[in-house]
Amino acid sequence: MFPTTSWTVIAAAGVKSSGSEDALSRLCYAYWYPIYALIRRRGHSREDAEDLTQEFFAHILQHGAISEARRERGRFRWYLRASVEHFLANEWDRAHAVKRGGLAATLSLDFQAGEERYR
């Protein structure tokens, strides 16, 4: 489902230039559906998949991840697919992280009584 993409488009999208916005737009348009479908196949609901797809694109655009893709490492679609898998794993970890003190028993400390006792 992931389309073949010209490395010249990928290279243009990975650098800040006059044509980079057009190249980025072409990549996002070509890959949004395959990424959405991949996320749906991983068991996410429609709404979650929509949000995760948008978050993924925001993440790679914000961090310049497209510029890290290298022709000699293999196909761009495999790079992108692996990036989605890593993104989903990180999102799962973040969603299931135990919050500070989440598993600890609550201990109530009476500092007012402690201060009076100290005096």
Side-chain angles (χ1 to χ4, degrees), residues 8-89:
T8 57
V9 173
I10 297 164
V15 296
K16 300 280 186 198
S17 67
S18 60
S20 65
E21 283 188 32
D22 181 51
L24 278 171
S25 179
R26 288 173 58 190
L27 288 177
C28 290
Y29 182 77
Y31 285 101
W32 81 265
Y33 178 75
I35 289 170
Y36 170 78
L38 176 64
I39 293 170
R40 287 285 283 141
R41 281 195 307 271
R42 295 293 180 260
H44 294 278
S45 70
R46 174 186 172 188
E47 293 80 13
D48 288 346
E50 289 172 1
D51 291 343
L52 287 166
T53 301
Q54 290 179 6
E55 289 173 27
F56 173 74
F57 276 104
H59 175 78
I60 63 168
L61 294 174
Q62 186 176 38
H63 292 94
I66 292 175
S67 64
E68 295 174 11
R70 298 284 180 266
R71 182 180 217 156
E72 60 273 5
R73 292 185 190 161
R75 295 183 171 141
F76 180 69
R77 63 185 120 177
W78 288 110
Y79 169 78
L80 204 54
R81 186 182 182 117
S83 296
V84 172
E85 297 289 351
H86 288 265
F87 173 79
L88 292 175

